[in-house]
Amino acid sequence: MKSINIADQPWLSMRRTISITVDGIRYRLFRASVTVAVIVVAVAFLMNILAESLIKRSVASNTRERIDTSRVIYNWSAKLSSPGSQESIIIEVANCSPDSDLYRETQRFAAMNDEDMAAFQTHAQKIVFIFDFFNSLDYAKRRAMIHTASGLEILNRLRSPENMEQFKLALSRIRSVHFDMSYDELDAVLAKGPEIRKQIGTIITARRKAIAVINKTLKGKTVLEKLATADGPFGDTIRQAGFIFDADQTAPLVADQAQRLLDILALEESMEERPTRQLIAQQANILPADVNVMMMWKYLDGKRFATRYLEKMQEAGITTEGLAPERLVDLAQGRKENAALLRAERLTLDAGKGVLGLGERLGWLLFVSMLVCGIGITNAMMMAVTERFNEIATLKCLGALDGFIMIMFVLESCFMGIVGGIIGAILGGVIGLGRMLAAFGVNFLGAIPIGDIIVGMLMSVLLGTILAAVAAVLPSFKAARLAPMEAMRVE
Amino acid sequence: MAETTPQSDAAQKNADRRIIIRTVGLKKSYLMKGVLTEALRGMDIEIFQGEFISVMGPSGSGKSTFFNMIGALDSPSVGRVFIDEVDVAQLTAEELAYLRCHKIGYIFQSYNLIKYMTALENVTTPMAFGGVMPDEARSRGMGLLDLVGLKERWHHRPIEMSGGQQQRVAIARSLSNNPSVLLCDEPTANLDLHTGQEILEILQRLNKEKGVTVICATHDHRMMNICDRLMWIRDGKIDRIADRSDVHIEVGGIDGH
Ligand SMILES: Nc1ncnc2c1ncn2[C@@H]1O[C@H](COP(=O)(O)OP(=O)(O)OP(=O)(O)O)[C@@H](O)[C@H]1O
Ligand SMILES: [Mg+2]
């Protein structure tokens, strides 16, 4: 006779558990792949937004750097032509870092020791803070506080007690505006006004003298023409005049950019001649009168056209010394790159603020996509488990332990989460990369934050896996704890 | 008729037999969408070790519900189920799993095969839970499929099989861990006369040769020939219990009237 001796059901070894689970996934490959597909889409969506955000952020800082670099020539030709205004000097000093050439140069012109220079900069920063505050106000509020004053006039105006009262009164009445500087500090800034004015005066005088030294060496040439040789003797002249002009980095950069600018100007001028204009008209298949500079640059991008263009320039009697077809192509491409830079600057205007420095809009988008990803995965996983309540119940009837069922679902959902997550992260990353390259152009390839993107991918995979696991475990835990037939009855 | 049998006789006969399943005041009601259905309304029965008992009753009378209770697959609303004199309600989750895996074989009315597994995998799953190694499980599983005449179809999924074939897989699965008690919910319902007969013979052999206790819900008249006792359920209550020998005389008394 068969009798019943009840004992504890043994736990299956992990190996057996895994092999049963893997078999299960294999058998249900189609259904599992549908769930994985949802995870792929959700993670890809999140990863796409993340990758694009990270690339935008990085492109933004890269752009700013490159735009700054491309403007070095303008800074220097301006500096060698004019000593600058009081306001421009204050803003310059406030914004430069203490180890920059500009900082040391200003200190030299102002003949200050380190301590005074540091105090001067701190002060300049406070003044800029005040400028920025008033600049951020709309016209009505600004008028209520300081009438129509602007720039340094503001400080002059506030020095009079009644104007100060007006400012304070207006400030206390306009609730939405906050002036994050105490009145004591503001008074101190105002009190130092004459001293600052004197110091700036010293700087301007010193700069004017330096410019006079430079002017003597120009001998009929323009500053720009001279700057084209800034990596040579003219660089020494600039340094002797008292400017700090780095010979290793700044000088070659300035010289190159100056030459470029001169060449560009020469080419744009050459377009006015008949032979050159006709060549462009011919190429564009339009009347010579309709030709414009943009067309010239467009066609100069090709070497064959550049060669013919040079011939036409000679025909028109323009000197083409130092200009080779390659140079023309290079200049045209440089202009294109500049246009790309400007476009990138426009596209990344909102970067730098908000979550992760991604900008308000991107940060918000990222948050929403995280939510969508989370809901998508949770929903898919919960559905996948709930439709298997019947199976869970059957397995329990056949002697499966609650723990086995839990482990099975944890393993399975992790597996699906990892596979879906990896595919999704790669997909989203690649799409993001492609889209951003299309938007900014290949010359931003170097600005792509590979490290950040990989970290983002790992985070996305992890998020997908955890969400999938949690979303699967909750319902399967519920099913595993029920009596088998109770689980069978759950719809 | 059962009433004609002297009570003392039956009592005498049963006294020295071991009770393997006993229910006391068993009630089960389902609450579905606010409607309370009383599926079992107080059942007291003793089932002896090694006996073959047929459970009969019209559709909806509570046979499947009763099986779920004595098979420790669902918890009663009121009352107790004792399996080998142990109160099922007292068992831990591990002990329940062991009981379901090794000691009780279930043939469900709706088969409850796992859709994505082949016939063989369905049969070997309880073995896997019982800790049987894959190779051994495979050969034993093939043996069981052979027993129910489905050896050639071991790699078919339930969806690729007829109702009767699925039922036979379910029968093979119920035997996978050599159970002591076999709970069969209409095991021959979908089988032709011949196959049904074969299954009945298998059940009978298990019962006679291996001493497996067989509890069988059925509408199949042939079951009467091989069972020891018959039990009629009506509206969630035991209508009548009788030894086969007493019923056998009365031809056509199968529905208890
Ligand atoms: N999950 C459920 N929810 C609600 N009521 C149920 C549920 N399962 C069964 N019932 C009800 O309990 C009663 C008994 O059902 P049960 O399935 O036990 O009958 P049965 O005797 O097995 O019938 P059949 O011969 O048709 O299989 C029926 O009235 C049925 O409606
Ligand atoms: Mg039934």
Side-chain angles (χ1 to χ4, degrees):
Chain A
M1 283 286 141
K2 282 211 163 197
S3 66
I4 292 180
N5 305 300
I6 296 169
D8 276 356
Q9 176 82 326
W11 275 81
L12 291 181
S13 73
M14 208 58 202
R15 250 191 70 203
R16 292 285 291 138
T17 307
I18 291 174
S19 90
I20 293 176
T21 309
V22 171
D23 281 352
I25 297 176
R26 248 198 10 242
Y27 303 145
R28 292 179 299 102
L29 204 55
F30 178 73
R31 187 61 187 87
S33 60
V34 171
T35 311
V36 169
V38 175
I39 299 178
V40 168
V41 171
V43 173
F45 179 57
L46 174 66
M47 189 57 216
N48 179 247
I49 304 279
L50 187 64
E52 290 190 9
S53 306
L54 290 170
I55 293 172
K56 268 193 183 177
R57 181 179 71 171
S58 163
V59 166
S61 72
N62 180 272
T63 306
R64 237 167 286 128
E65 228 167 75
R66 279 159 72 174
I67 286 180
D68 284 352
T69 313
S70 73
R71 286 184 185 149
V72 167
I73 180 62
Y74 300 107
N75 293 341
W76 278 96
S77 51
K79 196 144 88 173
L80 299 187
S81 315
S82 145
S85 68
Q86 295 210 344
E87 268 171 51
S88 70
I89 290 176
I90 287 178
I91 293 170
E92 230 173 59
V93 170
N95 291 331
C96 68
S97 98
D99 45 47
S100 65
D101 286 352
L102 184 62
Y103 185 91
R104 284 186 293 119
E105 185 185 279
T106 310
Q107 184 177 359
R108 188 190 284 176
F109 283 137
M112 286 183 202
N113 60 25
D114 288 352
E115 210 174 304
D116 287 350
M117 182 62 196
F120 179 58
Q121 188 183 39
T122 314
H123 215 77
Q125 282 163 349
K126 283 179 187 166
I127 293 172
V128 168
F129 175 85
I130 295 169
F131 284 178
D132 286 348
F133 169 75
F134 287 111
N135 284 340
S136 71
L137 298 180
D138 61 45
Y139 181 77
K141 288 175 187 154
R142 188 175 164 137
R143 198 183 156 89
M145 291 182 189
I146 48 167
H147 206 59
T148 54
S150 72
L152 286 169
E153 277 174 57
I154 298 171
L155 303 185
N156 289 338
R157 185 182 161 83
L158 287 178
R159 219 168 285 135
S160 123
E162 48 205 278
N163 288 339
M164 186 63 149
E165 277 315 304
Q166 183 204 348
F167 166 62
K168 286 182 181 173
L169 189 70
L171 195 60
S172 68
R173 254 187 302 173
I174 304 171
R175 290 279 179 79
S176 57
V177 175
H178 297 283
F179 182 61
D180 293 325
M181 187 186 258
S182 71
Y183 289 135
D184 287 347
E185 210 177 343
L186 178 60
D187 285 339
V189 174
L190 295 176
K192 273 196 104 179
E195 194 188 327
I196 295 291
R197 203 174 287 267
K198 229 180 81 193
Q199 284 167 326
I200 295 174
T202 313
I203 294 170
I204 290 178
T205 313
R207 278 195 181 176
R208 196 167 275 137
K209 265 189 209 159
I211 291 169
V213 172
I214 302 275
N215 279 341
K216 255 182 238 159
T217 68
L218 291 182
K219 300 209 179 83
K221 288 197 167 179
T222 65
V223 170
L224 189 60
E225 281 166 339
K226 275 291 197 181
L227 277 174
T229 61
D231 49 349
F234 188 64
D236 296 333
T237 312
I238 295 172
R239 277 183 283 277
Q240 277 153 21
F243 295 101
I244 293 183
F245 188 61
D246 178 54
D248 295 332
Q249 281 174 10
T250 317
L253 194 66
V254 167
D256 175 59
Q257 286 180 3
Q259 190 55 55
R260 239 167 212 281
L261 211 52
L262 288 170
D263 289 349
I264 288 172
L265 291 172
L267 279 169
E268 290 188 353
E269 215 171 295
S270 73
M271 199 203 70
E272 301 296 332
E273 302 298 328
R274 268 194 72 158
T276 46
R277 185 173 274 267
Q278 260 169 358
L279 177 66
I280 300 168
Q282 209 179 356
Q283 183 82 10
N285 209 5
I286 54 172
L287 292 173
D290 295 333
V291 164
N292 66 36
V293 155
M294 301 310 291
M295 295 172 187
M296 176 186 77
W297 288 119
K298 192 173 117 198
Y299 297 133
L300 280 183
D301 203 357
K303 197 174 162 192
R304 256 189 52 200
F305 184 84
T307 315
R308 283 172 62 202
Y309 192 86
L310 276 177
E311 285 164 11
K312 293 289 173 191
M313 276 175 80
Q314 278 160 348
E315 204 176 292
I318 305 166
T319 55
T320 54
E321 194 193 326
L323 289 178
E326 290 81 12
R327 174 68 170 172
L328 263 51
V329 173
D330 185 41
L331 288 172
Q333 278 169 357
R335 275 188 60 99
K336 241 196 213 164
E337 252 170 60
N338 257 347
L341 270 179
L342 292 179
R343 199 171 55 237
E345 193 187 27
R346 220 174 38 243
L347 284 174
T348 57
L349 268 184
D350 68 341
K353 289 161 280 177
V355 202
L356 290 170
L358 294 175
E360 308 266 339
R361 217 173 61 82
L362 282 181
W364 172 243
L365 205 60
L366 196 63
F367 173 73
V368 171
S369 59
M370 216 126 121
L371 220 63
V372 170
C373 172
I375 292 172
I377 292 179
T378 313
N379 182 49
M381 250 4 251
M382 279 190 157
M383 264 174 55
V385 177
T386 308
E387 71 185 16
R388 292 176 67 190
F389 266 39
N390 224 296
E391 180 195 333
I392 294 176
T394 306
L395 291 178
K396 281 200 73 169
C397 289
L398 301 180
L401 285 169
D402 300 359
F404 168 81
I405 287 167
M406 296 298 298
I407 292 175
M408 183 170 122
F409 276 91
V410 171
L411 279 175
E412 192 175 316
S413 56
C414 282
F415 182 75
M416 287 160 85
I418 289 171
V419 171
I422 289 176
I423 299 175
I426 292 174
L427 205 66
V430 167
I431 292 175
L433 209 66
R435 270 173 46 88
M436 289 296 98
L437 282 182
F440 296 123
V442 269
N443 58 332
F444 281 95
L445 217 51
I448 286 161
I450 301 289
D452 284 0
I453 290 180
I454 288 175
V455 171
M457 279 182 169
L458 291 179
M459 299 295 280
S460 302
V461 173
L462 200 70
L463 183 80
T465 308
I466 290 175
L467 277 175
V470 171
V473 164
L474 291 181
S476 62
F477 181 65
K478 183 178 139 198
R481 284 204 326 178
L482 290 174
M485 284 303 155
E486 270 171 64
M488 196 81 88
R489 280 198 293 273
V490 175
E491 284 301 310
Chain B
M1 288 261 163
E3 287 83 39
T4 61
T5 313
Q7 286 296 311
S8 53
D9 261 21
Q12 186 58 42
K13 198 170 128 198
N14 293 338
D16 44 84
R17 296 175 70 184
R18 190 185 166 109
I19 295 171
I20 197 156
I21 292 173
R22 184 160 65 90
T23 67
V24 180
L26 189 63
K27 289 184 182 174
K28 178 71 181 180
S29 41
Y30 297 109
L31 187 61
M32 278 266 167
K33 298 199 179 93
V35 183
L36 196 75
T37 315
E38 286 191 77
L40 297 181
R41 300 192 291 176
M43 302 236 303
D44 299 85
I45 188 168
E46 291 171 349
I47 296 168
F48 302 104
Q49 195 169 31
E51 93 173 314
F52 194 131
I53 182 164
S54 286
V55 179
M56 307 207 167
S59 178
S61 55
K63 300 183 296 293
S64 298
T65 308
F66 174 66
F67 273 42
N68 291 344
M69 297 299 138
I70 60 175
L73 298 181
D74 205 349
S75 44
S77 305
V78 181
R80 278 151 194 274
V81 175
F82 294 89
I83 296 180
D84 211 21
E85 287 309 323
V86 178
D87 187 348
V88 170
Q90 310 284 323
L91 294 177
T92 64
E94 284 80 8
E95 289 167 337
L96 276 172
Y98 180 86
L99 184 71
R100 292 169 190 149
C101 183
H102 297 270
K103 296 301 170 185
I104 306 181
Y106 306 90
I107 304 168
F108 298 99
Q109 190 170 17
S110 48
Y111 322 140
N112 291 356
L113 296 179
I114 293 177
K115 288 193 289 287
Y116 56 78
M117 291 186 182
T118 63
L120 182 62
E121 283 152 3
N122 263 293
V123 175
T124 54
T125 298
M127 299 186 203
F129 292 146
V132 178
M133 280 300 134
D135 288 343
E136 196 198 331
R138 207 184 143 79
S139 65
R140 254 167 65 183
M142 286 305 278
L144 287 169
L145 284 177
D146 196 16
L147 188 71
V148 295
L150 285 177
K151 196 177 176 188
E152 265 67 56
R153 295 190 172 265
W154 65 272
H155 58 282
H156 285 219
R157 307 265 158 93
I159 202 160
E160 301 156 354
M161 290 188 282
S162 72
Q165 287 166 335
Q166 291 182 41
Q167 192 161 26
R168 281 184 279 161
V169 174
I171 293 165
R173 183 178 70 182
S174 73
L175 302 177
S176 57
N177 281 330
N178 299 319
S180 308
V181 177
L182 208 50
L183 290 174
C184 321
D185 206 346
E186 311 206 10
T188 56
N190 276 299
L191 303 180
D192 60 89
L193 279 177
H194 175 72
T195 323
Q197 188 59 43
E198 273 178 14
I199 296 301
L200 289 181
E201 276 161 20
I202 292 168
L203 294 179
Q204 190 175 20
R205 223 168 42 237
L206 283 167
N207 176 251
K208 292 285 166 313
E209 291 168 14
K210 295 196 175 163
V212 176
T213 311
V214 180
I215 306 164
C216 216
T218 190
H219 296 293
D220 192 335
H221 291 220
R222 288 169 299 179
M223 200 70 89
M224 287 172 61
N225 299 327
I226 52 175
C227 68
D228 300 323
R229 276 205 296 171
L230 283 134
M231 161 179 163
W232 281 268
I233 299 183
R234 175 172 286 277
D235 292 334
K237 283 192 146 156
I238 296 174
D239 194 34
R240 198 152 76 98
I241 301 180
D243 283 352
R244 192 220 349 190
S245 46
D246 302 321
V247 184
H248 197 59
I249 318 156
E250 183 154 334
V251 180
I254 200 74
D255 51 346
H257 292 282

